Amino acid sequence: MTHHQAEDESRFERGQKALSRIDGKGGEKVVASLADIAPDFARYLIEFPFGDIYCRPGLDLRSREIATIAALTALGNAAPQLKVHVEAGLNVGLTRTEIVEVIMQMAVYAGFPAALNGLFAAKEVFALHEEGSGTEDIARS
Amino acid sequence: MTHHQAEDESRFERGQKALSRIDGKGGEKVVASLADIAPDFARYLIEFPFGDIYCRPGLDLRSREIATIAALTALGNAAPQLKVHVEAGLNVGLTRTEIVEVIMQMAVYAGFPAALNGLFAAKEVFALHEEGSGTEDIARS
Amino acid sequence: MTHHQAEDESRFERGQKALSRIDGKGGEKVVASLADIAPDFARYLIEFPFGDIYCRPGLDLRSREIATIAALTALGNAAPQLKVHVEAGLNVGLTRTEIVEVIMQMAVYAGFPAALNGLFAAKEVFALHEEGSGTEDIARS
Amino acid sequence: MTHHQAEDESRFERGQKALSRIDGKGGEKVVASLADIAPDFARYLIEFPFGDIYCRPGLDLRSREIATIAALTALGNAAPQLKVHVEAGLNVGLTRTEIVEVIMQMAVYAGFPAALNGLFAAKEVFALHEEGSGTEDIARS
Amino acid sequence: MTHHQAEDESRFERGQKALSRIDGKGGEKVVASLADIAPDFARYLIEFPFGDIYCRPGLDLRSREIATIAALTALGNAAPQLKVHVEAGLNVGLTRTEIVEVIMQMAVYAGFPAALNGLFAAKEVFALHEEGSGTEDIARS
Amino acid sequence: MTHHQAEDESRFERGQKALSRIDGKGGEKVVASLADIAPDFARYLIEFPFGDIYCRPGLDLRSREIATIAALTALGNAAPQLKVHVEAGLNVGLTRTEIVEVIMQMAVYAGFPAALNGLFAAKEVFALHEEGSGTEDIARS
């Protein structure tokens, strides 16, 4: 197999592995929901954010999720994605405390409403976790 | 000195120390620029973001600057503050590589224009660093 | 009837005709929902966006709906209006494919969350269409 | 009791009184909802927005609520907080007419969707008022 | 002259008078700058925001400028217009203190960067005033 | 050459051709400005927006530029990119009239300030065109 061929297959495959590890079931649901309306977009979602960006070595996954949770809280108009990433944050080893700290800090940069709505989104995700597996503050590899 | 008295003085003092350590000269300039128009606002800036939030123990300063750089890049309308925080990121031990990774990742969450403008802001700050002290990728305590 | 008199009546009348043709039932519902709280606003909505802007000859209605669908997707905080305009897009002759392409493209300018939420809004509108009249990809005059 | 000690206690106490007067039950609900996820954030919410800002003498409460209702309508991504502040506006003596005028004006600065969504939020709050106490257009001290 | 004819002429005339009174020279400059690229847009600007909205009786001009200054500060991406409206605020009788209070309050709803950039914009306008007429805190009719 | 290998090379090559055709010199400048700070990001910019999205057959280039100009005007925080795309719009066959119509329409969806700032950006680009080649309203293939 040539270098480019390996390269090309692995963007999608690399992306699928990263999506599965980071976003877990939340990510799978998003991809499935696109099947009937924009299947190509599901492919782009796997290839670019996950295959290209999340797999880059220069920044660890915990820091990446801190960045994403911060941005989505500040933007204030992407609650579904913020919930997926609060879950993702727990999956890559952030504690609930750390996630809550990131969101609270957004009161400084995007205002109290953005931080409040971010906290309410995180609250929903944590509640589902409690019903589920009870694996709150355990760092995972 | 009573507990509350100590508490009250230390919000401002704690904030000043944090501002100085994290934002360095950039932060001092901002405070000075408010003296004639809104001196109370300079006090709030020191007390709440720095005295209250940045001093909280639940999240380290490097992660806090990752969160802030991400949010300001995504918001796209706060270039002066983003530059202060790129500088702050270097001050608390982020490498240029890490800062650039955070900003690039914002292409996924806020689009390519936001990430491009963030990169151009970082580029200006790095250039000033080169003219100045040449202390790019050294982690500082 | 004098020129100005004709001019003045026709902003509202022109607007009503345009609103009816472009937004269809979605537009009527919005106007009705304003009756008890801000009836003047319903009048402004008909007169300025529809009477003044949408009736201008320099850009065709299909292009106008492309522009609006793009903007509302990018802004990410106007889902009700985006749904009205996805419907409007179909009314003025855009195909579902074209609408989906516009929304996907917004991943580049406003990020993947904005595009995803736009696709989910379009999906809801298309589903209602299927239950209704089955007139998906037919260009209308 | 020394000056600073009085100062420190009164930020929180001052804030609680202001929150109670201005936001009424809406504000209490927000504070309560934070108890399990971020109790410190509830304290910041009381101390900074209400203890520091809303208690400042340079601008009266009616003008402060006009500013907040305008900003939240323009931002378009904080509907829960906008509803709290429409209620707060009534509490500090704004009439429904005045609140509706502020929101409509946002069509000029943030577009018709932002103004529409603001009007729908206000409509919900006014409806609850009617079911409740019938104290619409009475200015209160 | 018929009622509609008077109505139609007076939207533009009413708007011109309001624009002149409220925005002063800032408004005239904006209209002039549109002459070569979009003269119709200058007409819409005079007719809708000023002829329709600002002339409405339900909210006084000082409150209208408080709302606009708040919204533009919160949005953070319209510095030229914010400066025009800080000037307009002074023209309709707001004091510098009141304008600064509105902008500072936006730290709560849109974050400290938005408020800081708003204060810097106001600072520029106040400086021009000092060079000009020295009429800072005098309420005008 | 295998299918995947051809596929992989052509994302970048396809993207380069599209970038050159659509954005012209503006696009080349952006890529060059990234060389020292984030060369990988220049590659992503060529591959995803241009190689993947702009090359898709479901929507013509003129419609794509209408969508982008609308979105960037509405967002209001990406003036450099808006100017590149006003130029791009002319490159793919939009007339100045059409571009101005798209931007004016954004007054409805994002407010008058966003539309004004968009018009001023377009004005700068048109002025450079006049100094250059004098090819305003000619549709190009």
Side-chain angles (χ1 to χ4, degrees), chain E residues 31 38 40 53-54 58-59 75 82 97 126 133 135 139 141:
Chain E
V31 168
D40 284 355
I53 298 292
Y54 273 83
L59 190 67
L75 287 172
L82 176 56
T97 296
F126 295 162
S133 61
T135 53
S141 63

Side-chain angles (χ1 to χ4, degrees), chain B residues 34-93:
Chain B
L34 290 168
D36 55 344
I37 187 167
D40 284 355
F41 197 74
R43 182 165 56 83
Y44 295 140
L45 180 67
I46 291 169
E47 289 177 342
F48 177 61
F50 291 94
D52 287 343
I53 299 291
Y54 272 82
C55 288
R56 291 178 62 80
L59 191 67
D60 61 289
L61 287 180
R62 285 183 46 164
S63 297
R64 287 193 181 282
E65 285 301 332
I66 284 172
T68 296
I69 290 167
L72 293 180
T73 300
L75 287 172
N77 59 4
Q81 291 78 34
L82 176 57
K83 290 180 201 172
V84 168
H85 280 279
V86 166
E87 181 73 37
L90 295 173
N91 288 341
V92 300

Side-chain angles (χ1 to χ4, degrees), chain C residues 29-30 32-41 44-46 48-49 72 75-81, chain D residues 74-77 100-101 103-105 107 110-120 122-124 126:
Chain C
K29 277 189 197 174
V30 172
S33 67
L34 290 168
D36 55 345
I37 187 167
D40 285 354
F41 197 74
Y44 295 140
L45 181 67
I46 290 169
F48 177 61
L72 293 180
L75 287 173
N77 59 3
Q81 291 78 33
Chain D
L75 287 172
N77 59 4
V100 167
E101 288 291 331
I103 295 173
M104 289 200 296
Q105 185 174 315
F112 278 72
L116 278 168
N117 294 328
L119 288 171
F120 297 146
K123 188 165 152 152
E124 284 186 44
F126 296 161

Side-chain angles (χ1 to χ4, degrees), chain B residues 57-132:
Chain B
L59 191 67
D60 61 289
L61 287 180
R62 285 183 46 164
S63 297
R64 287 193 181 282
E65 285 301 332
I66 284 172
T68 296
I69 290 167
L72 293 180
T73 300
L75 287 172
N77 59 4
Q81 291 78 34
L82 176 57
K83 290 180 201 172
V84 168
H85 280 279
V86 166
E87 181 73 37
L90 295 173
N91 288 341
V92 300
L94 290 177
T95 63
R96 289 187 179 196
T97 295
E98 288 171 323
I99 290 170
V100 167
E101 289 291 332
V102 170
I103 294 172
M104 290 200 296
Q105 184 174 315
M106 294 301 102
V108 177
Y109 299 100
F112 278 72
L116 278 169
N117 293 328
L119 288 171
F120 297 147
K123 188 164 153 154
E124 285 186 43
V125 176
F126 295 161
L128 290 171
H129 245 246
E130 268 154 42
E131 294 165 22

Side-chain angles (χ1 to χ4, degrees), chain C residues 42-54:
Chain C
R43 184 165 53 86
Y44 295 140
L45 181 67
I46 290 169
E47 289 176 344
F48 177 61
F50 292 95
D52 287 344
I53 299 291
Y54 273 82

